[in-house]
Amino acid sequence: MRCLVFPGQGVQRPGMGAELFDLFPEEVEAADAVLGHSVRELCLHDPEGRLGDTRYAQPAVFLVNALDARRRLAEEGDSAEPVGCYAGHSLGEYNALVAAGCLGLLDALRLVRARAEAMATVRGGAMAAVAGIGGDRVAAALREARVRNVYVANRNSDRQTVVAGGRDELAGAAAVLRAAGARAVVPLPVSGPFHTPLMAPAARAFAAALRGQAFAAPAVPVFSGVTAAPFEPDRAAALLAAQITAPVEWVRTVRALRAAGVTRFDEANGSTLTALLPAIA
């Protein structure tokens, strides 16, 4: 079975989507109307340096992910192996839900905009990539050293983990993690402690934006990065709100997809996630 996966924030880059915007003029125009600015201008030129701001980066990544998937599937035609399930890393789950027919493109974009705005209100935190050890070892090291206010945020592979928390506490945790076997602890260019309990105010604000949003049954399964299990329409809103404070369980999700029969992973908008696969046992 084939799975199409979608990356999240962090893949934004100057020039992103250059080959896509002219292919989907109606979708781009509608997205600009929802967001109140030109996505093309942001992605191609970023004249005000906003692509590093989560309020702008999340909608831009979401739209480019969506357009790239549409182009890919259209070019493949009916002769290609059909997609049997979808998954996304954090923000990328919104793309997976659109691709599976749970949400319309513009409804999802409105949610992404609200999500980004809510997450941007929590400031003062930091995130860092931990190379060389998995999430369980990272969590154990933090617990054993009684490091407070620092959490596992992304379990990306058996050898790559992201931690987040208070800026000062995270700086102090680096030595603990190196002593536990990490090859490197690299700060990430983000303004908040995403996917940790410190994001609770953002999760509450976003839950209000989710009220009343209907989710259709997916045409094929969409796997959640919170539970590593398929989304159910009646639980989708709760999972998307919880996603803001819960760690991204990418390792568990990939293992669950493999157990469900996935033998081929394709990725929209790059190869960030598929590059992690060899390091997930």
Side-chain angles (χ1 to χ4, degrees), residues 33-126:
V34 168
L35 299 174
H37 63 263
S38 169
V39 179
R40 179 198 297 266
E41 186 72 7
L42 173 69
C43 290
L44 300 189
H45 306 295
D46 193 16
E48 299 180 51
R50 292 174 168 176
L51 203 53
D53 183 330
T54 194
R55 294 172 296 174
Y56 295 90
Q58 288 194 42
V61 169
F62 166 82
L63 185 63
V64 171
N65 281 355
L67 299 183
D68 191 53
R70 288 191 180 190
R71 180 193 62 170
R72 172 193 292 268
L73 296 175
E75 289 177 350
E76 290 176 352
D78 296 335
S79 60
E81 179 184 357
V83 177
C85 57
Y86 295 97
H89 190 284
S90 187
L91 167 67
E93 285 186 7
Y94 291 81
N95 290 108
L97 292 168
V98 170
C102 296
L103 282 172
L105 178 68
L106 296 184
D107 283 340
L109 182 62
R110 292 184 186 97
L111 290 178
V112 167
R113 179 186 63 184
R115 177 185 192 262
E117 290 173 350
M119 292 174 71
T121 64
V122 181
R123 305 188 65 82

Side-chain angles (χ1 to χ4, degrees), residues 17-28 40 44 67:
E19 72 284 10
L20 299 169
F21 298 127
D22 287 338
L23 298 178
F24 301 97
E26 293 182 5
E27 288 85 349
V28 172
R40 179 198 297 266
L44 300 189
L67 299 183

